[in-house]
Amino acid sequence: MILLVDMDAFFASVEQQLHPHLRGRAVIVCGDKDRRGVVTAASYEARPFGVRAGMPMREARRLCPHAEYVEGNPRKYVEKSLELLEIFLTVTPDVEPFSVDEAFLDLSRLGARGDTYEAATHVARGLQQRIAEEHGLGASIGIGPNKLIAKMASGVEKPRGLTVMDEERFRGVFWPQPVQALWGVGEKSAAAFARLGITTVGDLARAPEPLLEQHFGVVGPHLQQAAWGRDRTPVVPYHEGVDPKSMGHEVTLPEDSRDAAFLEGTLLRLADQVARRLRGDGFAARTLTLKLRDFRFRTITRQRALPVAVDDHVSIFEVARALWREHWKGEPVRLIGVSASALEKKGEGEQIELFARDERRSALQEALDQVRDRLGEASVVPAGSLAYRRALGHVPFGAAQRTDADAPGKGDARVQRRATRDRLAGRSGYDDGAERSAPDPTQLKPRLDKRRPAP
Amino acid sequence: MFESLDDPIDVLTVFVDGAMRPLRFRWQGRVVPVRQVTGQWNRRDGQSVYRHFAVQGPRDDSYELCYDTRSACWRLNRAWTLPGGTP
């Protein structure tokens, strides 16, 4: 039996718990509240006014002017997430932190104490009670025979809901719903399904498999299985670790900009952040993606596959800039992002060749990493990114975030805990705290279709 | 509303059972007694470790304090000011 524990309005609830005067009030967590950006999280008191995560701040202020606007702090939420992880681990060692505010628990090891719907319900109620009593927070829990059903069940009743589902009930609840309700189906997939006349989860379940395969490749039949409530993805306990599939940073600019020098400086800063994370975790990337959102909220992503894997900011920046120059048409830019995927563990494959070829750059990078590990992230930055920093009113040596460069070893609980903290911080999607950039909730709570594990 | 600050402050601190706890702090010439510590978390930057505390003052006023373990200095990061005046 699988449980998915989803913390209710997590960031806003943590702020309410830390600051009692916020309890019972509409709270909106955002980036720098004096800058524009988007809503990171809204408390349940703010939601009746129509405020939602991802909404532009200007819109939120119009809908809910009396709300308390609180600048989010990722470290705070990651620490709380780790405290909650300790509670989950008292139930079972098979806990997979899925994001900063969600975790899967596999109860199958508990036998009769957890592997029936009744026993799992008992465990779930106990967890909700402990989370409320010890942390003053609410959690909604889904229970199902697999991760897919547990995940989707957790969203049926909120806040503080508890929903138990077997495959049959899953079909009863979700088959009439729009196909986008299915975990793994995003906006674009839904549009593609609609063109085939598939509009509900039930339509997808009953569609001819060859048709799905023809239009969606292997993903089509996989999603069809999901529509039946079938899923074989295992819970990967946190102590076993999961290699990330991608790493990225993005930032909402202080104001829409068409200043090429400033935008390229921003790209350089983002490339540097991505490179630092890659090296910190011992990865190099074979694919780089540029994300641009213009003043009309139109978003484009463009990617490029590379002949060799890279992990230095110069290489990443050069590719990102080339993509940028190719695809930017001069319109004002609102958001810009860089991400790396097709990750390879350093030392594998052609990475060796790359490092042998460019030893000087590698040695320089290592020395710079050592300086940052010791003195902090902003102690050394690419000069070209300073224009961007000045635009944010940011003092370079006042920076705040640290990316732990220690490669985590498996089996060492302390090191693993730190690695989990860093992973959660990475998944929280915040830019450097010191950069005061507005976190993008599409990264804070990544879209489900992006997080869906590969079949 | 919350005010983001970065003010140096003096803090009277007690260490109990290996844990530190701020008791009162001086800010803008006033002494603010800490009625309750509502939460704490750590942040690292390079080799520096910063210990953060969310605390409540005597009148439901709310603050976030930060202790730099390297320099042994305190700063006030945020304060929630009551409408129409200082906390």
Side-chain angles (χ1 to χ4, degrees):
Chain A
M1 205 60 60
I2 310 289
L3 265 61
L4 188 275
V5 182
D6 184 5
M7 301 304 298
D8 299 323
F10 185 52
F11 299 170
S13 299
V14 169
E15 295 295 345
Q16 287 175 317
Q17 185 258 336
L18 288 175
H19 300 290
H21 70 275
L22 297 176
R23 293 174 195 168
R25 299 179 59 177
V27 174
I28 292 173
V29 179
C30 50
D32 184 345
K33 61 179 184 289
D34 297 325
R35 284 180 47 206
R36 68 191 192 146
V38 292
V39 173
T40 302
S43 70
Y44 281 95
E45 293 84 352
R47 295 187 186 189
F49 296 91
V51 180
R52 296 282 181 274
M55 172 180 283
M57 283 287 289
R58 193 170 50 183
E59 178 73 356
R61 284 188 193 282
R62 189 182 64 78
L63 292 170
C64 198
H66 63 282
E68 191 73 47
Y69 288 82
V70 180
E71 199 174 309
N73 182 327
R75 287 288 148 189
K76 206 187 274 186
Y77 312 137
V78 169
E79 285 293 325
K80 186 59 75 178
S81 186
L82 288 169
E83 288 171 21
L84 295 168
L85 177 62
E86 298 293 340
I87 293 183
F88 303 151
L89 288 171
T90 62
V91 173
T92 172
D94 300 325
V95 179
E96 179 185 337
F98 192 54
S99 67
V100 74
D101 61 351
E102 291 172 295
F104 285 107
L105 281 67
D106 184 349
L107 304 186
S108 47
R109 247 203 247 204
L110 303 185
R113 287 184 296 119
D115 212 18
T116 64
Y117 286 107
E118 294 73 21
T121 303
H122 182 71
V123 168
R125 288 216 173 94
L127 281 173
Q128 284 178 317
Q129 193 174 346
R130 279 193 68 185
I131 291 168
E133 285 175 1
E134 295 175 23
H135 296 281
L137 299 171
S140 295
I141 300 182
I143 299 173
N146 55 48
K147 285 170 79 172
L148 170 86
I149 294 183
K151 167 72 186 164
M152 291 180 64
S154 70
V156 169
E157 191 190 337
K158 283 178 135 311
R160 299 186 191 228
L162 176 55
T163 306
V164 183
M165 252 183 207
D166 57 13
E167 284 188 17
E168 199 179 327
R169 186 168 176 224
F170 171 87
R171 290 167 206 148
V173 171
F174 288 105
W175 274 20
Q177 294 196 23
V179 70
Q180 216 169 329
L182 187 67
W183 187 18
V185 178
E187 205 173 303
K188 284 183 181 167
S189 308
F193 281 127
R195 285 194 289 275
L196 299 176
I198 297 169
T199 56
T200 67
V201 177
D203 291 343
L204 176 58
R206 290 181 293 254
E209 190 180 321
L211 177 76
L212 297 174
E213 202 160 359
Q214 183 192 338
H215 286 86
F216 300 95
V218 290
V219 177
H222 172 73
L223 287 174
Q224 186 172 45
Q225 287 297 304
W228 283 89
R230 294 168 191 152
D231 175 32
R232 290 184 175 182
T233 316
V235 168
V236 182
Y238 88 106
H239 51 81
E240 289 180 12
V242 187
D243 285 346
K245 290 194 166 42
S246 66
M247 294 181 182
H249 282 273
E250 60 187 45
V251 64
T252 301
L253 302 172
E255 56 189 36
D256 295 341
S257 173
R258 58 202 314 172
D259 176 345
F262 167 70
L263 291 168
E264 288 191 2
T266 307
L267 265 186
L268 178 57
R269 171 62 182 149
L270 294 168
D272 182 44
Q273 287 179 303
V274 172
R276 181 88 168 117
R277 273 179 71 194
L278 284 170
R279 290 194 302 276
D281 287 348
F283 286 100
R286 272 184 172 275
T287 302
L288 296 172
T289 303
L290 170 76
K291 178 176 178 181
L292 289 176
R293 181 172 296 153
D294 70 15
F295 67 110
R296 291 199 184 93
F297 269 79
R298 284 183 308 205
T299 305
I300 62 160
T301 56
R302 295 291 181 269
Q303 56 178 222
R304 180 164 295 172
L306 309 176
V308 291
V310 298
D311 70 348
D312 67 289
H313 75 272
V314 176
S315 303
I316 294 172
F317 172 63
E318 282 171 357
V319 175
R321 185 177 56 181
L323 286 168
W324 151 262
R325 288 181 174 175
E326 195 176 329
H327 296 286
W328 183 52
K329 307 298 179 202
E331 63 278 13
V333 174
R334 177 185 173 86
L335 175 147
I336 191 165
V338 176
S339 66
S341 55
L343 305 184
E344 292 178 1
K345 269 286 182 193
K346 211 179 276 184
E348 291 174 1
E350 291 184 53
Q351 190 60 22
I352 297 168
E353 183 196 327
L354 172 71
F355 275 81
R357 221 173 42 215
D358 204 346
E359 278 177 15
R360 283 189 68 197
R361 188 186 285 186
S362 177
L364 172 63
Q365 208 68 72
E366 200 173 313
L368 294 175
D369 282 343
Q370 283 175 9
V371 171
R372 284 171 156 184
D373 289 345
R374 181 164 184 160
L375 299 176
E377 286 307 304
S379 53
V380 182
V381 296
S385 68
L386 288 173
Y388 159 67
R389 286 164 168 267
R390 273 196 293 272
L392 295 183
H394 169 62
V395 181
F397 277 80
Q401 193 188 9
R402 171 180 193 269
T403 303
D404 201 327
D406 297 337
K410 290 180 182 175
D412 178 334
R414 188 180 55 80
V415 172
Q416 190 59 51
R417 189 181 158 89
R418 184 188 296 173
T420 304
R421 175 187 282 117
D422 288 345
R423 267 205 308 278
L424 289 172
R427 286 183 195 186
S428 77
Y430 272 94
D431 203 340
D432 275 6
E435 300 292 351
R436 297 184 153 223
S437 58
D440 185 338
T442 58
Q443 284 224 347
L444 281 165
K445 200 160 184 176
R447 282 216 320 270
L448 295 181
D449 53 336
K450 284 192 176 169
R451 286 190 300 178
R452 184 79 183 104
Chain B
M1 62 177 283
F2 267 120
E3 198 180 349
S4 291
L5 306 160
D6 190 29
D7 292 353
I9 50 172
D10 297 326
V11 181
L12 186 62
T13 311
V14 65
F15 290 81
V16 182
D17 295 333
M20 67 187 299
R21 184 179 183 279
L23 290 181
R24 61 187 61 187
F25 62 93
R26 185 184 294 130
W27 177 48
Q28 295 182 342
R30 294 184 310 115
V31 173
V32 181
V34 172
R35 186 157 61 89
Q36 191 187 359
V37 176
T38 49
Q40 51 187 291
W41 63 97
N42 293 332
R43 174 172 63 82
R44 300 175 67 163
D45 187 33
Q47 289 181 341
S48 298
V49 177
Y50 300 89
R51 203 155 284 169
H52 294 258
F53 295 85
V55 304
Q56 267 197 292
R59 296 190 297 136
D60 288 341
D61 36 341
S62 209
Y63 308 88
E64 286 184 5
L65 317 179
C66 175
Y67 178 66
D68 179 349
T69 56
R70 209 168 189 186
S71 66
C73 290
W74 286 88
R75 300 188 90 82
L76 178 62
N77 288 154
R78 290 207 299 189
W80 185 71
T81 49
L82 296 167
T86 54

